[in-house]
């Protein structure tokens, strides 16, 4: 009897397996490919292609990261690297049209994500999040929101944002003029005047200015002193008094513009800030033409940077300046766009019908999100490229020389400040100083523009009008006309209403 029952049981099991193996799609539930372990081993590793922008970085012949990931996850990982963003987007758009997207690819922006999703090329990853426990734990809920589009999780964002930038000031110039580092906006103006007119470098020439930068970035901390963000498209929306607002509608905006105009009227600002591009502003600072600049520690204190400004003047000394306080005591460095991501990874919809490959992609993302896997893609191989002293990472000489490409494998990101402090341990104090400054968190990166709103046109108009205000080409008292044109001609009110609705849905200002 027992033998007969066993035969019947095995027959039923075989029928069940046959039934499910013959079923097609139609279910929205995630498919799995558990299979037989020995059969998988016999079949060999699963081929996975991932594509991203390399920005000129190439893979070494001895790619020790690929070897470790292949072995750990059971894959044969191929990185398809494209040098710049335009070429990359063009290639991915062509491949999307032919249904031949890589198994894992980078969406370069929310707009690029939207284009790929609307073409039907992407897999909605919402049902698969429970298969990404290490990833979701690593990045957290706030980062996950960056990949949501039309209430669906189309992208898996990378975690980690560089939190940097503040005013840097020439301490040797302060000492020469017997001045203290300025603590308020008014004091900043007085020091900038002294740097412009009192020969701070003691060369007997009238050849210096107080403040430089690139366009309105020059004035980030001045906007911050009024509790406002800058005018750019990544820093317009934030939560104030429990509601999502635009910086342009805040009553302090006219006062902030008048203060910036005061700096320009005093003749203490580099007259070329509007035309400064690339490294022009920092070059002027290093050449001793200006004494205050809004920049980040990496542009000032890395060894190669120090060599430049010390080479120009061995007595030069740059120090960080806390953001100056405004009339009510508020102080903020540049804003932090928490909706921005350094990468939005997406998976093509076709992997829905390739469950073994899909599971391996998810396994890869999980592994590089673990402590072990994330250290691998940050630093390299333990005891070769880095060592551990407790939980503290110490990068070896081989790690410094051989691991410059590993960022290409940081699919889920990295703890940015900790990473930078490990890599530049001698600069940890500067890194911490800027990372811990007060900043307004902006939300623009979460927003998808509605039909009819062209952000490029709107932001071009905004910048042009703001330049007119601060240079006296338009009266600040006419600010309401600027808002009227922004709303009526460029549909900004429609954009703002849409943005508020989207952000409320994500839990901001609701």
């Amino acid at each position: 009897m027992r033998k007969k029952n066993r035969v019947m049981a095995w027959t039923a099991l075989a029928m069940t397996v046959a039934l499910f193996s013959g079923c097609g799609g139609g279910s929205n539930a995630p498919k799995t490919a558990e299979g037989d372990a020995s059969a998988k081993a016999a079949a060999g590793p699963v081929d996975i292609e991932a594509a991203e922008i390399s920005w000129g970085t190439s893979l070494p012949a001895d790619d020790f990261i690929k070897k470790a990931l292949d072995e750990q996850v059971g894959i044969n990982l191929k990185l398809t690297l494209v040098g710049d963003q335009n070429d990359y987007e063009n290639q991915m758009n062509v491949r999307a049209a032919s249904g031949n997207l890589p198994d894992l690819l980078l969406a370069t922006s929310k707009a690029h994500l939207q284009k790929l999703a609307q073409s039907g090329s992407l897999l909605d990853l919402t049902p698969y999040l429970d298969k990404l426990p290490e990833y979701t734990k690593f990045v957290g809920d706030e980062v996950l929101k960056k990949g949501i589009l039309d209430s669906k999780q189309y992208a898996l964002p990378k975690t980690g944002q560089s939190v940097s930038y503040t005013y840097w000031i020439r301490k040797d110039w302060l000492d020469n003029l017997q001045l203290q580092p300025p603590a308020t906006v008014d004091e900043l103006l007085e020091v900038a005047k002294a740097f412009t007119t009192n020969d701070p470098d003691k060369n007997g020439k009238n050849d210096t200015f107080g403040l430089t930068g690139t366009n309105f970035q020059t004035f980030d901390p001045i906007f911050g002193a009024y509790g406002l963000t800058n005018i750019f498209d990544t820093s317009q929306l934030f939560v104030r008094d429990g509601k999502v607002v635009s910086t342009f509608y805040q009553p302090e905006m006219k006062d902030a513009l008048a203060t910036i105009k005061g700096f320009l009227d005093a003749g203490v600002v580099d007259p070329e800030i509007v035309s400064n591009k690339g490294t022009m502003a920092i070059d002027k600072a290093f050449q001793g033409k200006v004494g205050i600049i809004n920049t980040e520690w990496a542009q000032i204190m890395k060894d190669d940077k120090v060599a430049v400004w010390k080479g120009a003047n061995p007595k030069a000394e740059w120090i960080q300046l806390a953001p100056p306080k405004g009339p009510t005591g508020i102080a903020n460095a540049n804003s932090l766009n928490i909706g921005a991501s350094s990468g939005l990874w997406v998976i093509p919809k076709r992997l829905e019908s390739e469950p073994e490959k899909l599971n391996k992609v998810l396994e890869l993302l999980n592994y590089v999100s673990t402590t072990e896997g994330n250290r691998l893609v940050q630093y390299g191989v333990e005891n070769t490229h880095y060592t551990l002293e407790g939980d503290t990472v110490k990068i070896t000489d081989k790690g410094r020389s051989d691991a410059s490409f590993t960022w290409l494998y940081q699919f889920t990101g990295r703890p940015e400040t900790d990473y930078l402090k490990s890599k530049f341990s001698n600069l940890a104090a500067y890194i911490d100083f800027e990372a811990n400054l007060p900043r307004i968190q902006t939300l623009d990166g979460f927003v998808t523009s509605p039909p009819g709103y062209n952000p490029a046109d709107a932001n071009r108009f905004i910048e042009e009008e703001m330049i007119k205000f601060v240079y006296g080409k338009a009266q600040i008292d006419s600010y309401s006309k600027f808002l009227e044109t922004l709303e009526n001609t460029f549909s900004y009110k429609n954009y703002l209403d849409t943005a508020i609705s989207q952000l409320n849905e994500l839990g901001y200002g609701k």
Side-chain angles (χ1 to χ4, degrees):
M1 178 67 75
R2 280 202 289 272
K3 181 176 181 181
K4 182 178 179 181
N5 287 341
R6 284 199 299 271
V7 171
M8 293 175 65
W10 280 109
T11 301
L13 178 60
M15 291 175 65
T16 302
V17 171
L19 174 64
F20 279 103
S21 63
C23 288
S27 169
N28 292 324
K31 297 181 175 67
T32 62
E34 302 299 334
D36 180 79
S38 60
K40 284 185 179 181
V46 177
D47 290 335
I48 299 294
E49 181 192 6
E52 60 182 308
I53 307 169
S54 68
W55 304 113
T57 302
S58 57
L59 297 171
D62 178 22
D63 189 344
F64 47 86
I65 303 297
K66 169 182 163 55
K67 290 176 183 176
L69 291 176
D70 284 354
E71 180 179 350
Q72 180 67 35
V73 186
I75 57 177
N76 177 30
L77 179 60
K78 174 191 174 185
L79 286 190
T80 295
L81 303 176
V82 182
D84 66 63
Q85 183 168 330
N86 286 338
D87 284 349
Y88 174 82
E89 289 183 1
N90 289 337
Q91 288 189 33
M92 292 306 111
N93 291 339
V94 169
R95 292 185 63 170
S98 63
N100 184 36
L101 282 173
D103 307 309
L104 181 66
L105 66 148
L106 190 73
T108 59
S109 64
K110 203 66 175 284
H112 190 211
L113 174 65
Q114 185 177 19
K115 182 175 182 178
L116 290 170
Q118 289 177 346
S119 72
S121 300
L122 301 184
L123 181 64
D124 174 14
L125 295 164
T126 309
Y128 298 88
L129 290 178
D130 62 350
K131 299 189 71 178
L132 287 163
E134 298 292 348
Y135 166 77
T136 54
K137 178 183 177 182
F138 179 61
V139 303
D141 291 341
E142 295 303 305
V143 170
L144 273 174
K145 291 178 182 178
K146 301 177 185 184
I148 293 175
L149 190 68
D150 298 330
S151 301
K152 295 180 180 179
Q153 190 79 44
Y154 276 115
L156 300 174
K158 295 173 69 171
T159 191
Q161 282 184 284
S162 178
V163 185
S164 59
Y165 273 80
T166 192
Y167 279 140
W168 285 76
I169 192 167
R170 281 285 293 269
K171 182 179 183 301
D172 56 312
W173 285 14
L174 289 172
D175 293 343
N176 287 344
L177 301 178
Q178 298 182 334
L179 297 172
Q180 295 298 312
T184 68
V185 172
D186 289 342
E187 291 175 5
L188 181 72
L189 177 57
E190 293 307 309
V191 168
K193 288 178 180 178
F195 280 5
T196 304
T197 61
N198 293 355
D199 191 19
D201 56 0
K202 300 303 179 183
N203 68 351
K205 300 177 182 179
N206 183 20
D207 59 356
T208 57
F209 284 99
L211 181 63
T212 192
T214 302
N215 213 327
F216 278 87
Q217 186 189 56
T218 309
F219 308 112
D220 271 330
I222 296 178
F223 282 109
Y226 286 87
L228 302 175
T229 59
N230 210 324
I231 66 170
F232 301 121
D233 57 341
T234 58
S235 59
Q236 295 173 9
L237 307 176
F238 57 98
V239 173
R240 175 182 266 194
D241 299 328
K243 295 182 179 180
V244 174
V245 298
S246 165
T247 195
F248 300 121
Y249 291 85
Q250 304 316 299
E252 298 90 350
M253 179 54 81
K254 291 197 290 184
D255 290 336
L257 293 174
T259 298
I260 293 168
K261 183 176 183 296
F263 275 74
L264 292 163
D265 289 347
V268 302
V269 180
D270 171 9
E272 297 177 328
I273 59 165
V274 173
S275 58
N276 281 341
K277 306 292 182 185
T279 64
M280 290 174 64
I282 199 77
D283 290 344
K284 294 173 185 179
F286 286 2
Q287 293 162 7
K289 296 179 180 180
V290 69
I292 308 167
I293 184 170
N294 182 33
T295 190
E296 59 180 335
W297 61 269
Q299 294 299 320
I300 297 279
M301 297 308 296
K302 283 186 176 180
D303 291 345
D304 59 329
K305 306 297 183 183
V306 174
V308 175
W309 54 262
K310 281 290 187 184
N313 182 355
K315 294 183 179 180
E317 183 180 359
W318 286 95
I319 61 170
Q320 289 161 309
L321 191 66
K325 295 178 182 178
T328 63
I330 295 173
N332 287 288
N334 65 319
S335 59
L336 179 66
N337 183 4
I338 63 171
S341 174
S342 56
L344 296 165
W345 289 99
V346 298
I347 297 174
K349 187 173 177 59
R350 65 175 173 77
L351 260 64
E352 201 170 37
S353 60
E354 301 178 57
E356 183 181 14
K357 181 169 284 194
L358 175 58
N359 285 343
K360 284 299 181 183
V361 171
L362 301 182
E363 188 178 342
L364 172 64
L365 296 173
N366 273 325
Y367 178 66
V368 297
S369 302
T370 64
T371 299
E372 174 189 292
N374 202 247
R375 282 178 179 158
L376 169 70
V377 297
Q378 285 186 75
Y379 308 112
V381 178
E382 186 177 357
N383 296 323
T384 299
H385 303 101
Y386 74 95
T387 59
L388 285 175
E389 295 180 6
D391 289 330
T392 302
V393 172
K394 299 291 185 181
I395 301 176
T396 65
D397 290 341
K398 191 169 182 61
R400 296 186 189 283
S401 63
D402 294 355
S404 61
F405 72 96
T406 61
W407 66 271
L408 292 167
Y409 290 98
Q410 293 166 13
F411 301 119
T412 60
R414 65 195 185 198
E416 190 67 23
T417 299
D418 290 342
Y419 169 80
L420 292 171
K421 287 163 64 177
S422 295
K423 189 170 183 180
F424 304 101
S425 56
N426 60 318
L427 304 179
Y430 301 111
I431 296 168
D432 273 336
F433 182 93
E434 293 180 18
N436 293 325
L437 291 176
R439 285 179 166 80
I440 297 172
Q441 294 185 340
T442 59
L443 309 169
D444 306 70
F446 290 116
V447 176
T448 303
S449 297
Y453 178 72
N454 187 319
D457 290 346
N459 289 311
R460 189 180 304 111
F461 168 75
I462 290 166
E463 184 174 321
E464 290 171 352
E465 294 304 302
M466 291 297 175
I467 288 173
K468 291 178 184 178
F469 285 135
V470 298
Y471 278 96
K473 304 298 183 182
Q475 295 298 313
I476 295 177
D477 288 344
S478 67
Y479 187 80
S480 60
K481 293 182 180 178
F482 154 74
L483 289 179
E484 183 178 342
T485 303
L486 185 62
E487 292 175 355
N488 296 335
T489 303
F490 296 92
S491 301
Y492 190 80
K493 186 65 165 59
N494 179 41
Y495 165 74
L496 183 57
D497 290 343
T498 301
I500 291 172
S501 177
Q502 291 178 10
L503 293 168
N504 286 167
E505 187 175 342
L506 292 175
Y508 296 104
K510 186 177 181 180

